Amino acid sequence: MRLMKSALLAVLGAGLTVGPGWAQEHEPRLVMSGVGRFAIFVDLSTREADGRQVRIRSLQVAEPGFEVEGAQYWGGWSWWQFDCVDRTADRLDFASVLAGGVEGPAVADSQPAFFASPGGDAAEVLAIACATGPYEGPTFGSLQDAVAEGHRQIGS
């Protein structure tokens, strides 16, 4: 995905306060879509489909001990909009997650939708978001469990 350290710095630099977020107010069904620099999870409990369009939330887990300006972060959440036929992805926002689980405010992503190139993070999330059958694989029921698994995967 297109998150870089600058996205986290933008959130911190905006002077915005953090508080409990949407992710802490429901029971997630997180499944891993891939591991690279980040471990990416898709929250199946957030999937909303309307014809060829799917909206879903993903969690990006950073490496253990990831810090920005002295604060440790687990990563961040993003809402995505996918066109399952045209295979386009539109990242709608990013909300950082401090170590411990406190979610920062969502910052809109103004970049236009783009083609989800095979092998990329967006294509991996799209594949899960646009799948029509039940998901067959490990599912994590909490943010903490997904972060722990993400840290294990990144470290291996």
Side-chain angles (χ1 to χ4, degrees):
M1 287 185 218
R2 296 175 286 165
L3 170 71
M4 292 293 149
K5 198 178 232 183
S6 60
L8 290 174
L9 288 171
V11 171
L12 291 172
L16 301 170
T17 59
V18 293
W22 183 88
Q24 297 171 343
E25 298 169 1
H26 81 290
E27 293 183 31
R29 289 185 17 233
L30 294 155
V31 300
M32 185 176 285
S33 64
V35 179
R37 178 171 179 219
F38 302 101
I40 309 298
F41 294 83
V42 179
D43 186 352
L44 297 176
S45 73
T46 65
R47 186 179 186 278
E48 299 171 4
D50 183 16
R52 61 193 273 169
Q53 299 290 315
V54 174
R55 184 174 184 264
I56 202 161
R57 202 164 195 227
S58 72
L59 172 67
Q60 178 177 304
V61 177
E63 69 272 8
F66 180 80
E67 285 189 22
V68 176
E69 296 184 2
Q72 285 201 1
Y73 286 84
W74 281 348
W77 288 101
S78 290
W79 279 102
W80 288 84
Q81 180 79 32
F82 295 103
D83 183 309
C84 298
V85 175
D86 290 341
R87 299 194 47 80
T88 59
D90 188 1
R91 183 178 178 168
L92 305 174
D93 65 5
F94 179 80
S96 62
V97 178
L98 286 163
V102 175
E103 183 178 328
V107 176
D109 183 328
S110 61
Q111 297 297 312
F114 59 94
F115 179 74
S117 299
D121 290 338
E124 292 173 344
V125 174
L126 180 144
I128 291 173
C130 293
T132 55
Y135 180 79
E136 302 290 333
T139 302
F140 301 90
S142 74
L143 173 64
Q144 294 79 2
D145 290 345
V147 169
E149 179 61 19
H151 285 169
R152 277 192 292 279
Q153 293 291 327
I154 292 170
S156 43

